[in-house]
Amino acid sequence: MKPSPNLQATLKVLHLSGIAESLEVRLDQAREETLGYLEFLQIILQDEVERRHATSVQRLLKQAAFQEQKGLEEFDFTAMPGVNPKEIKDLATGLFIERKEHVILYGPPGTGKTHLAQALGNRACRSQYSVLFTTAAKLFRKLAAAKIDGSYEKAMRSFLKPQLLIIDDLGLTGFTQEQTEAFYEIIAERHHTGSIVVTSNRPPGDWPGLFPDQVLANSLMDRLAHKAHHIPLKGESYRKRGRPQKVTNS
Ligand code: ADP
Ligand code: MG
């Protein structure tokens, strides 16, 4: 049964696009299954709720600016026996964001750090948390450029606002004094407002040596690393898998 144009117009005015979309099918279903009034109302309102949820997840995923949509489902835990699946799945519930805790994923290249960080971010979006993914290089580049054009506060806010900030590849190189101060500000400001997921090729124990200012470095480590879930990734690069084997003439 087609809903009348009047009804469609009313649903549009009320921004009930989820109901508008499913109404025709639901009216047929109501007839066939002789649904009660309340039951019918319940079903179409649920359609609206689901549609709104899906739209908001799509918006959050877009805002998160992931490099790739990597899910936890695609992560092969058997390939990384050092990683405890239960620990990752617990983090994927988003409780660490609720508690404003941090996560540090570290290990050699190709062990799935960026994959896992994005998978946690993806789950966070699905649980309605706002997320921003950035590489450390991009974050510092943005802040440095913003300092020049007078938009530093705005740029800094963009890193403070999301409930979860993911910083990929921290510590590939040493930090300048300016970067140390900016990073300290992010850690200190976010301390009470939101979580950070960091990936790094270096274990957190090596980080202090990357900072020129040991006072800031200690304070920073105290706030970030000492209160984080540490996830070490070990072993062979996953990228090497599937590469043709070298043929040796023996
Ligand atoms: P890292 O950030 O540690 O250098 P990535 O997360 O970029 O490594 O992983 C490299 C590639 O291998 C990516 O395409 C990633 O999806 C894949 N990968 C890594 N580990 C796994 C895994 N355990 N299961 C499935 N894919 C993996
Ligand atoms: Mg990476």
Side-chain angles (χ1 to χ4, degrees):
M1 191 165 96
K2 269 206 177 316
S4 70
N6 258 352
L7 178 53
Q8 286 291 17
T10 308
L11 291 172
K12 200 168 176 197
V13 170
L14 292 172
H15 301 289
L16 295 169
S17 57
I19 295 183
E21 209 168 76
S22 68
L23 194 55
E24 196 174 335
V25 173
R26 294 304 190 200
L27 284 169
D28 291 340
Q29 185 188 355
R31 284 224 165 137
E32 278 163 28
E33 298 173 22
T34 52
L35 297 180
Y37 294 121
L38 274 178
E39 213 175 348
F40 178 72
L41 186 62
Q42 171 94 45
I43 288 175
I44 58 168
L45 289 178
Q46 191 58 36
D47 286 342
E48 183 60 35
V49 168
E50 276 166 25
R51 161 85 186 226
R52 285 187 190 191
H53 180 80
T55 311
S56 126
V57 168
Q58 284 312 316
R59 184 173 41 80
L60 290 167
L61 284 171
K62 198 164 167 221
Q63 280 172 359
F66 296 118
Q67 282 175 341
E68 288 175 293
Q69 298 297 338
K70 291 274 182 182
L72 215 49
E73 304 74 23
E74 295 133 46
F75 193 80
D76 176 8
F77 283 98
T78 60
M80 295 292 154
V83 185
N84 179 355
K86 190 181 171 300
E87 192 174 6
I88 303 295
K89 283 171 190 166
D90 280 349
L91 291 173
T93 64
L95 195 62
F96 79 99
I97 304 173
E98 214 52 54
R99 294 181 176 155
K100 302 182 175 55
E101 294 165 352
H102 308 311
V103 177
I104 301 174
L105 297 150
Y106 61 96
T111 47
K113 302 181 295 294
T114 306
H115 183 139
L116 279 177
Q118 295 190 103
L120 290 178
N122 188 292
R123 284 292 177 90
C125 289
R126 291 180 193 285
S127 304
Q128 301 286 329
Y129 292 106
S130 57
V131 179
L132 179 67
F133 176 94
T134 178
T135 61
K138 195 168 163 191
L139 178 146
F140 291 128
R141 210 166 46 238
K142 272 198 172 170
L143 288 173
K147 210 162 221 178
I148 294 166
D149 71 19
S151 62
Y152 188 79
E153 287 306 319
K154 189 168 166 239
M156 184 50 94
R157 255 200 321 277
S158 72
F159 297 117
L160 299 180
K161 210 169 152 218
Q163 287 165 295
L164 173 62
L165 176 67
I166 303 175
I167 308 175
D168 196 29
D169 276 335
L170 189 83
L172 275 183
T173 56
F175 295 82
T176 64
Q177 180 67 23
E178 190 175 284
Q179 289 171 345
T180 309
E181 285 167 18
F183 191 46
Y184 176 79
E185 190 178 342
I186 291 174
I187 305 297
E189 292 284 329
R190 288 192 65 86
H191 196 50
H192 297 290
T193 60
S195 295
I196 306 175
V197 169
V198 174
T199 81
S200 180
N201 277 359
R202 300 175 202 257
D206 289 358
W207 295 0
L210 299 170
F211 296 102
D213 181 330
Q214 285 314 297
V215 178
L216 276 187
N218 288 340
S219 191
L220 213 149
M221 292 304 287
D222 192 48
R223 288 180 151 92
L224 176 65
H226 300 168
K227 286 166 189 157
H229 300 264
H230 290 230
I231 316 281
L233 290 119
K234 301 180 187 102
E236 277 283 295
S237 166
Y238 197 87
R239 289 194 188 97
K240 285 187 187 157
R241 293 180 161 226
R243 262 195 216 163
Q245 299 283 314
K246 263 191 190 161
V247 181
T248 49
N249 297 320
S250 56

